[in-house]
Structure formats: C-alpha cells, structure tokens
Amino acid sequence: METGAAAGTFAGLGGFDAELTPLIGRRADTVRIARLLSGARLVTLSGTGGVGKTRLALRVAADAARSAFPDGVYVAELADLRDPELLASSVLGTLDVANPGHPGADAAAVLAARLRERRALLVLDNCEHLVDACARLTDALLRAAPGLRVLATSRQPLGIAGEQVFPVEPLPVPDARAGHGLRDLNGNPAVALFVDRAAAVLPGFTLTRPDAAAVAELVRRLDGLPFAIELAAARIRSLTPQEILERLTDRFALLTGGSSVAADRQRTLRALIDWSHELCTGRERLLWARASVFRGGFDLESLERVCADAELPPAALLDALDGLVARSIVNCRHVQGRSRYHMLETVREYGHQRLAASNSLDALRGRHRDRYAELTARAGREWFGPRQVDWFTRLRLDHPNLRAALGFCLERPGQARAGLALAVSPRHYWMTAGLLSEGRHWLSQLLAADHAQDGGDGDSRGDGATGPETAVRVHARVTDTYLRILQGDPDADVRQALAACEAAAEQGGHRRDSAWVWHHHGILAVWREDYASAAELFARARTEFRALGCLDAALECRVKFAIAHACGGEAAVAEEACGEVEAAARTHGESWLRGMALLARALLALRADAPADATTHARAAIARLRPFQDWWDVAMCVEVIAWSTRNDPRRTARLLGVLHLLWESLGGRLGAAPFMRTQHLRLDAAVREALGAAAFDREFRRGARATVDEAMAHVLDDPVGVPGLTKRESQVAELVAEGLTNKDIAARLTIAQRTAENHVERILGKLGLASRTQLAVWTYEQRGGPARGPRRRGPAERSPAD
C-alpha cells in the first residue's frame, strides 16, 4: 500500500489497517520526521508521485500514536476529494464526529472546537490538488488548537507560516561504478524493495549472482522510485529481471497492474504521472515536455536558451519552472553557488512522450544541440585561463547533455559534421576527463557517418585522393588518433593513422593539425624512450603553435619537452622549461599545465634520487590535476610516489593497487605509462619479494578496490578513516575493535541493526577477512597500535546479533 486507501484513526484501539508489506529503506527518514514533528507544528512530506510519501507518513503516525499523541492520530485521505468546499467536513469525518449537515464554515468551526483541547496528530494525505484549501484549513486549525500537530503529504508544500518541508527522496540505488556483489546489493534499499516485492508474487525468489547486474540496473533505471520498483517486481511472475530490464524502453506500458484494491491512479505508472500532469497549468505542462530534452540536469540559462520562445517567453518560463519545482516535477539543487535542476528519469520520459506527440521533438533537440555546441565552443576558447577548472566542472555536469547532443547529430541525416565540431571542442575534454573510450566511440561513429552522408566522395574520403578534407574532419581524425595513443593501441596502427592525418593536414593547409601530429609523434617517441627525438618533435610543434598564436598549445608542447628531458635529457634544460611554463600559467591563471610542470619536476627529483622532493612535487601535481579527473597524468604522479616509498613495501603494494585502479578506469591496454613500464615491473617484483605473495596481494587489493576518494587520500597521505574503507565503514570497524555488538553499533551510530550487520559483512568481504576478531586485529594494526582482539564480554553482554 504505497499511498493511503481510506480515512481512519490510530487513536486508542482504532481500526486503521495494519501494514501489509514492510516499509523498506526508510528508517532514517522516519527518525528525522519524528524529530521535526517534536519541534514543528506542521511538517509536509513533499516529493514526486510514487516516492512513498503516504507510506512514510503512516509509519511515522503509527509510531507516534503509541506515545506522543495521547488524544489520537487521525488520518484524512484526500486523493478522491475534488470539491475544496467539502474539505473541512471530510476531515471532520475522520474524527468520528457527526457532520453538521452542510459544508463550509460550520464544519471548520466544529473541527476546530473538537481539536482545541486535544494533543493530537492530524495526517492530511495527498493535498496537492487542494493545496490552497488545505493551507487555509491547516492554518485555522493550528491557530485554534495549540496541542495539534499536522503531518501533510503533498507534491508541493502548503506554503504557510511555520511549515517544515521534508523532501522525500527516492530510495538509494547501487553505484553504477561499483561491482554487483550479492552482499552489497542485498543491503541496498532499492534492491531490497525489489527482492521483497518479487518474493511476494513469486515465493522463493531471491537475488542470485546471474540476476544481480540486471536487478541493479533495473532499480537505477527506475530512479529508486518505490512505486515503479513495486510494479516492476510484480512482473517477476512471468519475466526474468533481465527480460524486465530489456522491456523498460516503454516503462509506461510495462509497469501496470498495481493492487486491485488501490485507486485507479495507483495501479499504473502512467496513471500516477497523469495525476501530476493534470495538476499543472498549461505553461507548466509545456515546459515539462520541452525540458525533457535535457539529460542529467540543466541550469536556468540553458533552459531559457532551449525552451523559451514567443509561446513561452522567459518571464513566463521562470514562473512555470517555479511551479514545476513546487509540484516536485523538477528538483532543484545548489551546485557551486548556482541552481541546477533535474527530473527523475520516469518523469522526464513521460514529458518526452508528450513532446514527441506534439511533433516538436526534433526542433527542441536541434535547439538543445545548438546550445551545447555553443557552450563547448566557448569552453574551448576560455580553456586557457582562470576559469579552466570551472569550465571543466560545468562540462562534466552537462556530460549527459553532451551525449544527447552528439546522439542527435549521429541519428539525424546531415548532422554528423556538426557533431564532429561538438566532439572536438574543447580538445582536452576527453583526455582530462578520463573518457578516452567514449571519446573514441563518438569520433569514430561521427567520422563514419560524415563519410557515408557525403557518399564517400569529396573531402570526406580521408585519403586525400579527391580533394582536401575540411578542417573539422581533419581535427577530429587527429584527436581520435591521440586518444588511440593514450589507450595503448599498437604502435604500427597509430603510426599509420598519424601518417594519414599528416597527409590530410598538409594537403588542406591545416597547419594547427600538422603541429598536433608532430606533438603526437613526440608522445610515441617518449613511449619508445627516444627522449632526444621526442624533445625535437615537441620543439618543432611548439614553434609552429607560437607562429599561429596558440599559446596554450605551445606551452603544452613546452612542458612535454621538459618531461622528455627530465626522463633522459638535460636536467638544466628541463628545469628551465618548467619555470617558463609555470610563469606563463600563473600569469594566465591556468591550472592544468602547472600540474604537468610539477609532474616534470617530480620526475627530475626521482632521477636525482631525491624521493622526498619527488613525492612533494608529485602530490602538488595531483592537487592540480585531480579537479580535471585527468587519471592518465595522475597515474604517472602515483608511479613516482610509489618509487619514492619503496622502502615501505606495504605502502608501495597498496600504491601499486591504486595504479591498477587508475589504469583500469581508462579502459585501454596499458598498466603503466609505456616509458615507465620497465621500472614498474621491477618495483612490483621487488615489493612482492619483500612482502611475500599473500601480504602483497592483500595490500594490492586494498588499493585496487578502493573508491577514487579513498585511493587519493592514501596517495596524498590524507586518510578519510581506516585505509581502504569509507568513513562510515571506518567507524564501524573501530566499534568492532572496541568489542561492540551489531546492536550496540546500531545504537551508537543511530542506524538500523540490519544496516550495521550489512556494514560488517561488507567490510569483511572487502578486506578478505573471515571473522570479527580478524577485523578487530586488522583495525588495531592500521592504527599503529598493538595487534590485539576486542575485549572479552560477559554472558550478559553477548547478543544473537553477533
């Protein structure tokens, strides 16, 4: 029963229906709401349809009925009430009081009189379609009855003085970047809800390893929305989780068949969202449909550029947006001091279907593409400067929109060349963002589509046989080849590709791309440890970039010239080049090249056998490079730090695990920078010998299985808790070491006992330990303290939870 079904009371031995299914994943929310109710007289649970507001309110009310409200808890279900004039009399009926016989002021007066001397809780469920009437009645009742508290559920707040709004969020879903271990997934609230409801329709259903990935992706695609998850789980009678997932492309046709005793709007996902749509104004509906072209979120400026026109002018758009936020159709969050908006995927897809039905989809998607082409071009122009990190952050936030714009260019005839321009600006994006595979995907697909759209003739041939290629196509090919180099494609293949790029650039007179080809040849020379040739190529490219007025590209070649000399040339020349790059970068407020110069200095210090200096420079470089998620260059910094800590084999083994994590994230063939590979293998062998195979593997796994934040904290010597664990897991491990039971841990951290149990199991699995005692010993070792177990407890302290 996700939303209420009938009016009732919890007072005394009142007969409100018991819960038929468990409420999953909401324990922390019920505690927070109860705390709000203890201090505020009106608490409104707001959120999109199907998020579970009613179930949550009824659980809080049931708990409160036992202690906090001696004169009763009364529940008024308002979903089926259409006439606001009947509101007071309908609520009065929940008190089991005779109706005064006609609607309006008399009923409100009787209701106020009945509640005036009571310490009671009134639950007003589903207020959104009567929000003004509910606001007036609630305000009057709270003024008349000082002992009254009101708990409302609504897709928008009531908007009266003293209201505390509690946004009800969807259930947490599994991290898409994490694995699909059964232990972790069974502890996830969205997965647990799916499994519980599936077992109700298919007795014996449990989560198995073959189904784990499909169930995880299914609840992610459903945004953790409880109502949608329950409808999907009901399909388990006739479909496997994978089959449900495959049919989710039309979720509104698939997700039907809710409870036969529920209201019509509670039986299908479409009916539930239809209810929200009916409550919107015409302009709100129009904006809902138009905003569905965005993916992953949007800001106000982008919304205005894409969605505003004569039919929906900017001032009206802002009012419509405010209305959609108030109705929980659009969610608003503040990111770096600016408002950013997004819709749940289910809500967005509903709007998208409405937009398609209006025959406006292509026009809006074209405007959306133009907006992000403009945005990325501007980012490219302003990349070298003080806003570099800001631009990168903005592009990362809008990455789903960039994907959608590129997809439009790929799907629509004649748009591939516009897609190529979008895909190569700014040039650094795919490299610094650690998205090499995705960059290659878009570039190769768009290049092929552009070639096909021109019928294989003219400048799209790419072999120079029938005429020069356009600048954007040559630049795309050069960029694609560089991504191939960074992913470790075979040397012969990339050399052949570079030769073709060089010929196309020369034939078309594209001097900038010719210079980038020389730069890329320089990278390959570094890979071969031919540092003299590399330095010469970087110097040649730099000269051309300076002649063209491309200062940022010239400085990039200069810093790589420094790296080539740091590895195998003249140290003094490398030092001079580093100083030049750092001075120019400081003058322009640039960050990424300063990080690269610090990497060159770290390599110089390592070559001079100054490990402390090497570590200092490498950590400073990471601080500059990490905001860009430039894992390629961060990995080289970690390699330097690992060599500098080789006298601490345990720490070095963990750093080698971190390197494995970083290189895997780049999705290529490399396990180390090619010019560092020999040293890397020597270090790996030496540390294995020093530690022994078992200890080495244990420490290596701790680095390789860490989150990025944990890994970087270890690299920078800035621990976030016990190494290898999240902050919460670190807290749990410390409490296990103190001898606390799962029940004790739950009480200490104010979490569910089941959650504490899941944390302990997850920690044991992550660390490869077999028991709580081993965990306690491990935790003491990480503290640097004596390796001792937890204190022994007497019989009275022992718990079955252990």
Side-chain angles (χ1 to χ4, degrees):
M1 188 171 79
E2 190 57 40
T3 52
T9 175
F10 289 96
L13 298 175
F16 199 86
D17 291 344
E19 291 180 316
L20 300 179
T21 55
L23 182 65
I24 292 174
R26 296 296 193 188
R27 179 178 175 81
D29 287 343
T30 59
V31 171
R32 294 189 191 104
I33 295 165
R35 287 175 181 163
L36 281 178
L37 268 177
S38 68
R41 299 189 60 208
L42 168 61
V43 175
T44 300
L45 309 188
S46 70
T48 192
V51 79
K53 301 181 294 295
T54 296
R55 282 293 306 271
L56 193 51
L58 295 181
R59 168 59 65 84
V60 170
D63 292 344
R66 302 186 184 101
S67 57
F69 299 101
D71 295 321
V73 173
Y74 304 96
V75 180
E77 163 54 51
L78 307 176
D80 295 326
L81 181 67
R82 288 293 179 269
D83 188 346
E85 293 296 319
L86 297 176
L87 175 63
S89 57
S90 295
V91 175
L92 189 58
T94 68
L95 272 67
D96 197 23
V97 174
N99 194 302
H102 61 279
D106 287 347
V110 173
L111 185 58
R114 290 289 180 174
L115 292 171
R116 182 167 289 116
E117 304 300 327
R118 299 192 185 191
R119 284 181 56 202
L121 174 66
L122 174 62
V123 179
L124 298 177
D125 188 32
N126 292 297
C127 300
E128 52 272 346
H129 60 303
L130 301 168
V131 68
D132 291 337
C134 287
R136 289 192 296 271
L137 179 63
T138 300
D139 184 66
L141 292 179
L142 290 175
R143 292 177 187 277
L148 178 68
R149 296 280 198 276
V150 176
L151 178 61
T153 74
S154 178
R155 299 184 193 188
Q156 69 181 92
L158 301 189
I160 63 176
E163 180 181 30
Q164 290 286 320
V165 179
F166 184 89
V168 180
E169 301 284 349
L171 294 174
V173 299
D175 189 339
R177 297 166 297 182
H180 298 121
L182 294 184
R183 199 179 265 136
D184 287 341
L185 286 183
N186 279 317
N188 176 265
V191 172
L193 177 64
F194 180 89
V195 171
D196 180 84
R197 301 310 194 251
V201 299
L202 185 66
F205 178 84
T206 58
L207 188 65
T208 62
R209 196 167 300 282
D211 291 334
V215 171
E217 180 61 19
L218 180 62
V219 298
R220 277 195 294 268
R221 293 272 301 279
L222 294 174
D223 303 302
L225 198 63
F227 181 72
I229 292 172
E230 291 185 353
L231 290 176
R235 291 289 186 181
I236 209 71
R237 291 189 191 95
S238 53
L239 299 172
T240 67
Q242 182 62 40
E243 289 170 333
I244 297 173
L245 179 62
E246 289 167 357
R247 284 157 180 78
L248 205 59
T249 49
D250 187 0
R251 67 187 67 200
F252 296 108
L254 176 69
L255 302 182
T256 61
S259 170
S260 60
V261 299
D264 288 344
R265 67 184 179 84
Q266 299 167 336
R267 298 185 63 184
T268 72
L269 188 60
R270 178 176 292 282
L272 186 73
I273 308 299
D274 279 341
W275 169 265
S276 289
H277 196 257
E278 290 167 9
L279 297 174
C280 293
T281 66
R283 279 177 165 165
E284 288 168 355
R285 294 174 188 173
L286 180 61
L287 183 58
W288 181 348
R290 290 183 175 184
S292 70
V293 296
F294 291 98
R295 296 297 183 99
F298 49 89
D299 57 23
L300 180 58
E301 182 185 357
S302 295
L303 188 71
E304 290 174 333
R305 296 295 292 273
V306 175
C307 299
D309 57 15
E311 188 178 5
L312 188 61
L317 180 147
L318 187 57
D319 289 340
L321 175 62
D322 188 61
L324 292 176
V325 171
R327 299 182 194 281
S328 302
I329 303 301
V330 172
N331 299 316
C332 177
R333 291 191 174 90
H334 298 294
V335 180
Q336 296 183 331
R338 298 181 65 84
S339 295
R340 189 163 180 86
Y341 307 91
H342 77 279
M343 292 186 282
L344 296 180
E345 182 60 19
T346 298
V347 174
R348 192 204 65 80
E349 188 172 309
Y350 180 94
H352 202 260
Q353 290 186 2
R354 292 273 179 172
L355 184 63
S358 72
N359 296 318
S360 302
L361 181 58
D362 270 11
L364 265 293
R365 288 193 71 188
R367 283 151 65 173
H368 175 272
R369 186 275 315 279
D370 292 345
R371 166 59 179 168
Y372 287 97
E374 171 200 0
L375 202 64
T376 54
R378 185 178 165 197
R381 291 191 302 270
E382 298 182 11
W383 188 264
F384 183 67
R387 296 196 58 206
Q388 189 177 56
V389 174
D390 293 340
W391 271 117
F392 177 80
T393 303
R394 183 168 186 175
L395 291 179
R396 283 295 287 173
L397 283 173
D398 273 317
H399 188 69
N401 284 309
L402 179 60
R403 281 177 177 159
L406 290 168
F408 174 77
C409 293
L410 196 56
E411 295 161 14
R412 297 299 186 268
Q415 298 294 321
R417 194 156 300 172
L420 288 174
L422 181 63
V424 296
S425 182
R427 189 189 77 87
H428 291 81
Y429 179 67
W430 303 111
M431 303 143 202
T432 55
L435 297 168
L436 304 179
S437 295
E438 183 171 348
R440 288 182 63 179
H441 164 79
W442 290 115
L443 287 166
S444 62
Q445 294 284 316
L446 288 162
L447 283 165
D450 182 52
H451 181 69
Q453 286 167 11
D454 273 13
D457 296 324
D459 67 10
S460 288
R461 284 192 50 162
D463 58 8
T466 60
E469 293 189 72
T470 59
V472 67
R473 184 173 172 85
V474 173
H475 193 47
R477 291 177 63 198
V478 172
T479 303
D480 180 58
T481 304
Y482 190 38
L483 300 185
R484 293 174 61 184
I485 292 170
L486 293 178
Q487 283 204 298
D489 272 18
D491 189 79
D493 292 349
V494 294
R495 283 175 173 279
Q496 183 178 0
L498 277 179
C501 288
E502 188 166 16
E506 288 179 0
Q507 185 178 20
H510 307 306
R511 293 173 59 191
R512 186 183 61 156
D513 288 300
S514 291
W516 279 124
V517 169
W518 302 333
H519 165 277
H520 300 349
H521 276 300
I523 295 294
L524 290 176
V526 171
W527 279 193
R528 299 191 306 273
E529 300 181 51
D530 182 359
Y531 300 117
S533 295
E536 183 179 339
L537 285 160
F538 290 136
R540 180 185 179 190
R542 177 195 179 220
T543 300
E544 183 72 344
F545 282 129
R546 290 181 69 179
L548 294 169
C550 301
L551 178 60
D552 57 337
L555 286 172
E556 183 173 342
C557 291
R558 187 65 169 158
V559 80
K560 291 175 181 175
F561 172 89
I563 288 173
H565 275 287
C567 292
E570 300 179 40
V573 172
E575 288 275 5
E576 180 185 359
C578 285
E580 180 184 328
V581 171
E582 287 166 345
R586 275 195 299 269
T587 299
H588 289 83
E590 197 273 351
S591 187
W592 181 72
L593 287 172
R594 290 179 69 182
M596 294 298 291
L598 285 163
L599 169 59
R601 290 193 182 279
L603 291 167
L604 277 169
L606 192 65
R607 180 178 167 186
D609 197 22
D613 290 343
T615 296
T616 299
H617 290 312
R619 286 177 176 165
I622 290 172
R624 290 279 177 186
L625 299 171
R626 188 181 174 192
F628 300 99
Q629 301 179 30
D630 179 5
W631 304 126
W632 219 107
D633 294 312
V634 166
M636 289 195 288
C637 295
V638 175
E639 191 86 48
V640 170
I641 295 171
W643 265 95
S644 301
T645 62
R646 59 189 180 276
N647 292 329
D648 182 355
R650 191 179 298 274
R651 177 169 170 73
T652 306
R654 208 173 308 160
L655 288 170
L656 290 170
V658 170
L659 282 166
H660 177 78
L661 167 74
L662 294 173
W663 288 112
E664 271 208 333
S665 74
L666 291 167
R669 298 178 173 87
L670 300 176
F675 69 101
M676 292 178 160
R677 179 170 174 76
T678 301
Q679 288 179 313
H680 180 91
L681 294 174
R682 281 170 44 207
L683 182 63
D684 184 286
V687 176
R688 284 179 186 273
E689 184 178 355
L691 284 180
F696 177 91
D697 288 344
R698 182 169 61 249
E699 296 300 331
F700 183 92
R701 282 198 305 271
R702 285 174 58 193
R705 293 178 181 176
T707 65
V708 170
D709 285 343
E710 292 164 355
M712 290 300 98
H714 178 64
V715 168
L716 299 173
D717 239 357
D718 180 24
V720 293
V722 178
L725 302 181
T726 65
K727 184 175 180 181
R728 175 62 88 189
E729 289 170 346
S730 298
Q731 292 174 320
V732 172
E734 295 283 0
L735 294 176
V736 169
E738 291 177 22
L740 273 65
T741 66
N742 290 335
K743 184 177 181 181
D744 297 333
I745 293 170
R748 179 78 65 88
L749 299 179
T750 322
I751 58 178
Q753 184 172 329
R754 171 70 182 276
T755 302
E757 293 167 0
N758 288 338
H759 276 310
V760 173
E761 291 176 7
R762 189 178 301 115
I763 294 166
L764 293 175
K766 185 181 282 190
L767 301 178
L769 303 176
S771 69
R772 296 167 71 93
T773 300
Q774 288 183 8
L775 174 57
V777 172
W778 181 87
T779 304
Y780 275 107
E781 288 177 344
Q782 303 315 305
R783 291 174 179 164
R788 57 186 177 86
R791 65 181 177 87
R792 186 179 298 276
R793 289 174 285 129
E797 297 176 270
R798 294 182 186 143
S799 163
D802 288 348

